[in-house]
Amino acid sequence: MLSRQPPSPAEAGVDPETERLVAAAVRIARALPAARPVLGVLRGFSRGDRDRARILRGRLAERGVHAADLSLVPDAGDREPGRAAIARPLMDVLVYAGGPQPERAMKAAALWRLPLLIERQDGWEGGELNSLGGHRRAVLGIHLPGGAFDVAAREAVIVSLQPQPGRVRLILDNEKITAPGDQPLHVTLTDGGLLRVGGDAFGSRQVRRLRFERAWGAYRLDIDGTPARDVHAPLRIETLPGRLHLLHP
């Protein structure tokens, strides 16, 4: 009788991207010094997100790798008042199960200072079944009033919630400038890891740190395209080089 070959990923209901992620996760787990490493599988909240995470954990378990279920870090506005950060989970590496919110997975990894295995994004090297790449990236470190701390993987935007907020004072590195308070302030990262601060009143500047102070009224802080919380000045944003450690198949 002819022996049947094991089912392909497609036959088993596992897409090639998940299978590639599983192979990379197993390779990483076996290289870790911990006797029984634990991988944290980050997932979103939709049914599709939960299904992808469950399949990923199941495939890892078949390969002898212990994986725990983790939801994405709540937005800053969902945290307890005055709490600086969500407690770091007892994991060795994070794995993003996939979905529409990769920035939130990157934010979790940067907050917790844990490596993140994530499907490669546009422009990253890799993509073959047994390949594994990695690099470090800067993130935006956001120091909020009251001692709270947050990070943004891609961008932060400060938007006034007042109809006539007047003018605000900004400190860009050591330069003090004033700008209309009703204009959104955009903060992103350059390829070189600097802050790119943009506003209609002063164009675009590249700096290492920004202090947003002496502003009247409440402002909304958007992180990576999602409204995070309402804030009052002062707040400080700086670049954190190498804080985000990404691994990708």
Side-chain angles (χ1 to χ4, degrees), residues 1-8 11:
M1 177 182 293
L2 293 176
S3 61
R4 190 180 187 278
Q5 294 296 321
S8 67
E11 292 172 331

Side-chain angles (χ1 to χ4, degrees), residues 129-185:
L129 180 59
N130 294 314
S131 69
L132 182 63
H135 66 281
R136 288 185 177 270
R137 282 177 44 181
V139 296
L140 302 174
I142 307 170
H143 300 267
L144 298 160
F149 175 75
D150 211 332
V151 301
R154 179 169 50 88
E155 67 175 1
V157 182
I158 303 172
V159 182
S160 174
L161 297 176
Q162 305 296 327
Q164 295 179 331
R167 300 184 70 81
V168 300
R169 188 171 85 163
L170 310 174
I171 302 178
L172 305 177
D173 285 343
N174 295 318
E175 180 187 7
K176 298 178 181 179
I177 66 174
T178 60
D182 59 350
Q183 296 179 1
L185 187 69

Side-chain angles (χ1 to χ4, degrees), residues 161-248:
L161 297 176
Q162 305 296 327
Q164 295 179 331
R167 300 184 70 81
V168 300
R169 188 171 85 163
L170 310 174
I171 302 178
L172 305 177
D173 285 343
N174 295 318
E175 180 187 7
K176 298 178 181 179
I177 66 174
T178 60
D182 59 350
Q183 296 179 1
L185 187 69
H186 298 263
V187 185
T188 58
L189 284 161
T190 69
D191 292 339
L194 295 175
L195 302 182
R196 179 180 288 109
V197 183
D200 292 342
F202 56 87
S204 178
R205 306 285 186 91
Q206 293 187 18
V207 297
R208 294 190 178 279
R209 62 188 61 86
L210 156 73
R211 183 174 173 87
F212 181 84
E213 63 174 18
R214 293 193 180 177
W216 178 81
Y219 286 75
R220 190 186 73 230
L221 175 67
D222 298 347
I223 294 179
D224 294 327
T226 301
R229 64 161 64 182
D230 295 348
V231 297
H232 289 76
L235 62 85
R236 179 166 54 91
I237 302 177
E238 63 181 338
T239 178
L240 300 176
R243 173 87 177 222
L244 178 58
H245 185 190
L246 295 171
L247 305 169
H248 45 88

